[in-house]
């Protein structure tokens, strides 16, 4: 399974994500949801996967400044580097629709989000048996991670910019005025799912 993620470079907010196969169908679902959540014109950068072009055009038409960042990686010469990240030796921005600013064509923020997910969720640990065996459970784990990431855990860069005031991505985006606690998150779950039998039945239906 593949985890599609989006991140705002200014507020560090992750507005949407999707767990699914890495194909055009899920790319379209992911980007349509992103378009539903964001108002106004903005700049978007993705990697060079071919299906993103069609998915972005379908989701945003001409209302987004979109560019792909194509990267060239060196091929490791020995098998010892099989699980090490490849070395990027060149990159080239490719403008698709709109007029994106060249200085802001970057995938660095979302790539940094990848190790944040891996370090925050045991299920994403490589080469262990910690991975989840059911897609539904994986989707729940990812959703809980981003809930905590957006609303609970102060972001170091945002906190420094706020002169030491603990600041979450949701606060930087104007969605909240304080960091949430885990009790706040549990309270949402309890309010949404008060009947344990109903929850169990819904999970059975999803399977």
């Amino acid at each position: 399974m593949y985890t599609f993620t989006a991140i705002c470079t200014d507020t560090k907010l992750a507005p949407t994500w999707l767990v699914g196969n890495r194909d055009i169908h899920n790319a379209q679902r992911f980007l349509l949801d992103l378009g539903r959540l964001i108002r106004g014109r903005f700049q978007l950068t993705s990697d060079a996967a071919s299906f993103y072009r069609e998915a972005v055009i379908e989701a945003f038409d001409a209302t987004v400044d979109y560019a792909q960042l194509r990267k060239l990686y060196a091929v490791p010469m020995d098998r010892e580097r099989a699980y090490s990240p490849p070395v990027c030796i060149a990159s080239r921005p490719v403008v698709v629709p709109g007029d994106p600013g060249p200085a802001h064509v970057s995938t660095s923020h979302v790539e940094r989000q990848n190790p944040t997910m891996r370090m925050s969720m045991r299920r994403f640990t490589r080469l262990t048996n910690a991975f989840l065996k059911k897609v539904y459970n994986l989707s729940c784990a990812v959703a809980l991670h981003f809930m905590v990431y957006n609303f609970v855990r102060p972001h170091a860069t945002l906190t420094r910019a706020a002169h030491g005031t603990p600041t979450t991505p949701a606060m930087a985006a104007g969605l909240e005025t304080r960091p949430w606690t885990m009790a706040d998150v549990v309270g949402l779950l309890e309010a949404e799912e008060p009947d344990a039998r109903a929850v169990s039945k819904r999970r059975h239906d999803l399977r």
Side-chain angles (χ1 to χ4, degrees):
M1 303 306 294
Y2 188 79
T3 305
F4 293 84
T5 61
I7 189 171
C8 172
T9 58
D10 297 324
T11 66
K12 315 305 178 188
L13 185 78
T16 188
W17 57 89
L18 186 144
V19 175
N21 293 323
R22 194 168 188 259
D23 54 27
I24 188 170
H25 171 67
N26 283 307
Q28 288 171 335
R29 290 176 56 204
F30 169 69
L31 289 167
L32 285 169
D33 189 52
L34 182 65
R36 179 182 63 85
L37 295 170
I38 298 179
R39 296 290 180 264
R41 193 179 189 90
F42 66 100
Q43 181 163 326
L44 176 68
T45 305
S46 76
D47 61 30
S50 58
F51 52 72
Y52 278 130
R53 285 173 170 258
E54 182 179 340
V56 167
I57 292 173
E58 178 180 337
F60 300 104
D61 195 15
T63 62
V64 68
D65 298 313
Y66 172 55
Q68 288 186 321
L69 190 64
R70 295 186 176 179
K71 294 185 176 181
L72 179 64
Y73 294 94
V75 178
M77 300 302 294
D78 54 18
R79 301 183 66 179
E80 294 297 324
R81 293 183 56 83
Y83 296 105
S84 300
V87 178
C88 179
I89 58 176
S91 62
R92 180 170 66 94
V94 178
V95 176
V96 188
D99 185 27
H104 300 290
V105 177
S106 172
T107 57
S108 297
H109 293 85
V110 77
E111 287 170 359
R112 178 61 186 84
Q113 191 182 69
N114 183 43
T116 298
M117 291 176 60
R118 291 195 173 278
M119 290 186 293
S120 301
M121 286 187 284
R122 176 66 177 166
R123 297 151 186 83
F124 278 71
T125 304
R126 293 183 185 273
L127 304 180
T128 72
N129 62 353
F131 64 91
L132 287 168
K133 285 75 175 175
K134 297 179 180 179
V135 177
Y136 174 76
N137 291 343
L138 176 61
S139 300
C140 291
V142 172
L144 181 59
H145 161 74
F146 278 115
M147 184 70 194
V148 173
Y149 171 85
N150 283 331
F151 287 89
V152 178
R153 188 173 65 187
H155 194 284
T157 302
L158 300 175
T159 299
R160 284 196 297 270
H163 307 290
T165 301
T167 304
T168 64
M171 292 169 63
L175 302 176
E176 263 299 338
T177 58
R178 63 172 179 86
W180 283 30
T181 66
M182 291 305 297
D184 294 323
V185 177
V186 173
L188 283 180
L189 295 173
E190 290 177 340
E192 183 68 21
E193 301 180 343
D195 188 344
R197 291 185 178 180
V199 174
S200 178
K201 183 179 185 303
R202 184 161 67 254
R203 289 177 178 172
H204 179 75
D205 292 341
L206 285 170
R207 288 196 296 270

